Amino acid sequence: MKYTILRILLLTCFISILSCNHNEYLQRDPKNIIGDEQLWNDPELIKSLMANYYDRLPSLHGVFNDGGMTEMDNAMWSGHFDSNWRNDFQYGDDYGRYWDYGFIRDINLALDNLEEYSTEIDEDQKNLFNAELRFIRAFVYFELVKRMGGVPIVTEQLIYDFNGDPEYLQIPRAKEAEVYDFIYQELEDIKDNLASNNGSKTRANTFIALALESRAMLYAGSIAKYNNLMDSPITLPGEEVGIPAGRATEFYNRSLTASQEILQNGNYTLYDENPDRGMNFYEMLMDKNSNEIIFAKDFVTELKPHRFTFLNIPRSLSEDNEFHTNVTPSLNLVESFDYLDGSDGELNFHDANGDPIVYDELTGIFENKDARLYGTVIYPGTTFKSAPVEMQAGVAVWDGTGYSYQSSQNLGENYSDGDLWTGADGPQDNAQNVSNSGFYLRKFLSNASGASLRGVAAENWWPWFRLGEIYLNAAEASFEIGQMDIATNYVNTIRKRAGFPENSIENITIEDIRNERRVELAFEDHRFFDLKRWRIAHEIWNGDENSEQAVVYGLYPYRVVRPGHPDNNKYIYNKLRPTRFRRARLFRLANYYSSIDQGVLNNNPKLVRNPFH
């Protein structure tokens, strides 16, 4: 009987197999894999892939990289002692190294797939996606060339054919100028196809392409000019490093043309919503309706927040039970902000005899400074989120002949006279998680409720490009080609927004432009590359322990204790080199171009090493 049942079951299975459609049975679509035809014919899926690529756009000290921000001269690290190496290091041969050909491959593969599989989407939309991918690739190549010099230009997939000889995959480095030419040509070719994105600040559009063009061509022009003004220009025989001086004007003109196209037709404006110039500058980067932002990386608390505020808010104002205080601006940066009367920004804390100048208020020493200082730095006597930031290093006790500076180890403690000794926010020397420089960062700190809580975090965006930079790019490019009136006008426009009077600069110099970039664009991932392209990084960060530029300095406020004297309970300031800042910045000629990883060189013998490596 049991054999009969088994025969019936086998017969049923056989008939079932014969009766089914073989093709449909064997070719069912998987439920957990998206095929190429599905992906590249669904605009929403393509946008999803594109979001991953936008998220991978590279930077060195940008996108809220608080560690990187402390590795120059604009700030020092005041966070946990474990990371104090940022105050005690020299730029290594591989500092800034970037060689992400995995990303280049992903983009090239996407471009090929878009061309092959996208047969059902609108042609204009297909052209838009193509242009966005090429914009991202141009952005990556700019990051490559400004760190490494000329690199292999690869615009298609490199596929090994297993013939035993990989030589055909070994692409040599292009000339440095050729990479900049490639970036320029790509952006020129795609900018019109990006027009339908012109209302977006987070996806490439025509003016975002021009903004990249403006910045990249300015870099190329600078290298062509200033590298060749060095006593020994940094070059390689094949021009993988170094751009001929004769091309400087051409690159500057390209940059200026792109900048002026944005300024004249971009429908962007300098942020001007708050009559308080300092708050206006701060809010410019906080307000997501800001029409100054050209291109940004966005964050949303529910989906993708960031912890920059948690990591850098003054410790007494943290909503979390932990506080870090990582980035603390330097006196060097604070003094680069001029006074509104046009005088140099060096602070007046000593008189001609070397005696401390007494101020009635903590903020007195900062009066009439460029309003961008307030928008960038929290300095003594100011507030954040409408709450006072309590900064006082200690008391200056008059001993009959001079002041004795006394600080408490207990933040927020009162002195024996009943008034404040050391503030709840320091500054405190050789301490962790409190300012060691005498300043806190305001720029990029979100004032939203919960922004300094790890469980909530912040959603203010990161500005890849904004109109303030474009004005300065245009100013520098026009200056370099001899259009002084135009350069002066652009710089004065930026300075007027910061509270300076009309035409505050009459006879503009390259030093004026360089300082404007330092103060306007502080902590926006420009300074390291600016000093490199001007070929002055090795002069500014020369490793001299007595240098005013290579060493990071701080400035501490003290309350005067001098009972019965008019100066009692007023304030004086003392400049110091914070103990935690242990080694002067040293940028060597070898740092103008990062070394190429030995593994990369081993895999491709056609690559030549960078100079000094």
Side-chain angles (χ1 to χ4, degrees):
M1 180 64 183
K2 63 181 180 182
Y3 291 107
T4 302
I5 295 173
L6 182 60
R7 289 189 188 96
I8 293 172
L9 287 173
L10 288 172
L11 180 62
T12 303
C13 290
F14 181 72
I15 294 172
S16 298
I17 291 173
L18 288 177
S19 62
C20 72
N21 185 319
H22 290 179
N23 290 336
E24 290 182 1
Y25 178 78
L26 296 173
Q27 296 182 10
R28 287 184 300 177
D29 290 333
K31 302 298 184 184
N32 59 348
I33 297 175
I34 298 174
D36 283 324
E37 289 84 357
Q38 291 173 282
L39 193 160
W40 295 105
N41 287 299
D42 184 335
E44 294 307 312
L45 288 178
I46 297 174
K47 289 178 188 175
S48 178
L49 178 72
M50 207 80 79
N52 174 276
Y53 290 179
Y54 278 117
D55 188 50
R56 293 162 65 185
L57 288 178
S59 72
L60 182 59
H61 300 141
V63 195
F64 306 116
N65 177 358
D66 56 346
M69 291 177 183
T70 65
E71 294 171 7
M72 295 172 285
D73 53 5
N74 280 348
M76 65 171 289
W77 179 267
S78 290
H80 197 282
F81 281 131
D82 285 352
S83 294
N84 203 62
W85 59 267
R86 300 182 191 282
N87 298 321
D88 186 15
F89 85 109
Q90 295 177 342
Y91 299 110
D93 287 354
D94 60 350
Y95 191 86
R97 177 188 289 164
Y98 180 65
W99 197 270
D100 193 355
Y101 275 87
F103 194 11
I104 294 289
R105 178 190 177 280
D106 288 347
I107 299 168
N108 289 338
L109 175 62
L111 283 165
D112 287 350
N113 285 339
L114 180 71
E115 184 62 30
E116 180 177 354
Y117 296 109
S118 294
T119 57
E120 299 174 13
I121 63 174
D122 178 77
E123 193 65 23
D124 288 341
Q125 195 161 39
K126 183 175 176 179
N127 290 336
L128 173 62
F129 290 138
N130 173 281
E132 286 188 80
L133 287 165
R134 290 169 67 185
F135 167 82
I136 294 170
R137 187 173 63 185
F139 193 107
V140 174
Y141 269 107
F142 177 49
E143 197 72 17
L144 283 165
V145 70
K146 71 181 183 180
R147 300 195 203 187
M148 311 302 296
V151 293
I153 297 176
V154 182
T155 58
E156 58 185 12
Q157 296 181 70
L158 299 180
I159 300 173
Y160 183 51
D161 61 8
F162 298 96
N163 71 353
D165 181 6
E167 184 180 359
Y168 71 100
L169 300 175
Q170 295 164 344
I171 310 297
R173 298 176 64 180
K175 296 177 181 178
E176 188 170 12
E178 288 176 339
V179 180
Y180 281 106
D181 286 335
F182 169 73
I183 294 168
Y184 174 76
Q185 196 56 57
E186 282 287 283
L187 296 171
E188 282 292 297
D189 286 349
I190 64 174
K191 63 182 183 183
D192 292 338
N193 286 344
L194 294 166
S196 58
N197 273 354
N198 283 356
S200 174
K201 296 182 187 299
T202 55
R203 291 179 61 187
N205 65 35
T206 300
F207 298 101
I208 292 171
L210 288 168
L212 177 56
E213 199 173 300
S214 162
R215 186 188 294 175
M217 295 303 103
L218 186 67
Y219 275 51
S222 304
I223 293 168
K225 176 176 180 178
Y226 291 104
N227 189 59
N228 290 291
L229 293 178
M230 299 177 79
D231 292 338
S232 298
I234 303 171
T235 60
L236 286 172
E239 297 183 20
E240 295 87 353
V241 161
I243 299 175
R247 297 205 59 190
T249 299
E250 176 188 359
F251 283 121
Y252 283 130
N253 272 316
R254 287 178 178 178
S255 175
L256 181 58
T257 299
S259 298
Q260 291 181 328
E261 177 70 14
I262 298 169
L263 294 173
Q264 293 165 10
N265 301 314
N267 199 30
Y268 303 99
T269 56
L270 291 178
Y271 190 80
D272 190 16
E273 300 294 328
N274 191 332
D276 181 329
R277 300 289 82 188
M279 281 302 293
N280 185 71
F281 189 72
Y282 165 74
E283 291 167 353
M284 174 263 296
L285 293 170
M286 293 294 125
D287 183 356
K288 290 193 177 181
N289 293 315
S290 170
N291 207 31
E292 177 158 346
I293 302 300
I294 298 172
F295 183 41
K297 181 170 185 172
D298 204 5
F299 293 84
V300 179
T301 52
E302 298 84 358
L303 297 173
K304 185 180 176 66
H306 64 80
R307 290 185 171 181
F308 191 77
T309 303
F310 162 68
L311 294 171
N312 295 289
I313 194 169
R315 57 180 290 150
S316 73
L317 301 183
S318 177
E319 300 156 285
D320 204 284
N321 59 2
E322 285 188 10
F323 31 78
H324 293 264
T325 314
N326 293 341
V327 181
T328 49
S330 64
L331 175 61
N332 317 43
L333 173 66
V334 170
E335 291 195 320
S336 66
F337 291 86
D338 290 342
Y339 288 94
L340 292 176
D341 64 3
S343 58
D344 182 80
E346 185 175 347
L347 293 172
N348 302 309
F349 47 87
H350 282 158
D351 62 19
N353 297 320
D355 297 322
I357 296 174
V358 179
Y359 289 93
D360 293 342
E361 305 291 339
L362 277 168
T363 54
I365 194 172
F366 305 103
E367 285 185 358
N368 298 315
K369 291 277 281 186
D370 181 333
R372 289 171 291 189
L373 172 63
Y374 182 90
T376 305
V377 175
I378 297 174
Y379 52 80
T382 55
T383 62
F384 184 70
K385 296 177 67 173
S386 301
V389 180
E390 196 176 67
M391 280 193 280
Q392 179 180 301
V395 293
V397 182
W398 180 257
D399 63 9
T401 58
Y403 289 108
S404 169
Y405 297 101
Q406 301 177 18
S407 298
S408 171
Q409 292 303 306
N410 301 314
L411 299 176
E413 187 175 23
N414 282 349
Y415 190 60
S416 57
D417 63 358
D419 288 324
L420 185 64
W421 189 352
T422 295
D425 294 299
Q428 205 169 38
D429 190 39
N430 203 23
Q432 65 178 0
N433 306 131
V434 63
S435 176
N436 280 233
S437 69
F439 305 101
Y440 286 93
L441 189 65
R442 186 188 303 276
K443 201 173 198 178
F444 296 130
L445 284 194
S446 171
N447 57 7
S449 178
S452 61
L453 273 171
R454 280 168 291 179
V456 179
E459 62 178 11
N460 51 301
W461 54 14
W462 174 261
W464 289 116
F465 296 104
R466 64 182 176 89
L467 199 62
E469 182 206 343
I470 301 303
Y471 268 99
L472 293 176
N473 291 352
E476 185 176 338
S478 53
F479 176 89
E480 294 290 3
I481 59 176
Q483 298 180 6
M484 300 304 177
D485 290 345
I486 295 175
T488 304
N489 181 55
Y490 286 142
V491 171
N492 281 335
T493 301
I494 288 289
R495 287 166 64 87
K496 183 182 176 185
R497 193 261 294 267
F500 286 91
E502 295 270 4
N503 304 317
S504 58
I505 290 179
E506 295 181 354
N507 301 307
I508 197 165
T509 65
I510 188 63
E511 285 72 27
D512 292 329
I513 294 172
R514 290 174 177 176
N515 197 62
E516 282 302 310
R517 290 186 69 89
R518 183 176 189 182
V519 299
E520 174 74 22
L521 304 174
F523 303 109
E524 295 182 38
D525 200 17
H526 289 278
R527 181 160 176 77
F528 184 81
F529 294 109
D530 279 349
L531 297 192
K532 278 181 62 173
R533 66 185 175 89
W534 294 325
R535 294 298 194 251
I536 58 174
H538 67 292
E539 297 171 353
I540 301 291
W541 300 325
N542 60 9
D544 182 352
E545 297 294 346
N546 297 310
S547 168
E548 289 292 316
Q549 301 180 101
V551 173
V552 165
Y553 290 96
L555 186 70
Y556 285 10
Y558 291 85
R559 180 174 62 83
V560 172
V561 176
R562 194 173 182 179
H565 190 276
D567 290 344
N568 190 50
N569 280 335
K570 295 184 179 179
Y571 300 95
I572 61 176
Y573 282 82
N574 188 41
K575 176 181 177 180
L576 80 163
R577 172 176 172 160
T579 301
R580 290 185 63 180
F581 188 82
R582 294 176 184 161
R583 195 185 310 195
R585 298 296 188 218
L586 176 59
F587 185 101
R588 297 165 293 119
L589 294 177
N591 296 125
Y592 279 107
Y593 295 95
S594 301
S595 63
I596 301 173
D597 182 76
Q598 187 59 49
V600 172
L601 293 170
N602 293 342
N603 289 335
N604 185 356
K606 295 178 182 176
L607 298 178
V608 296
R609 295 176 183 272
N610 272 334
F612 310 107
H613 299 298

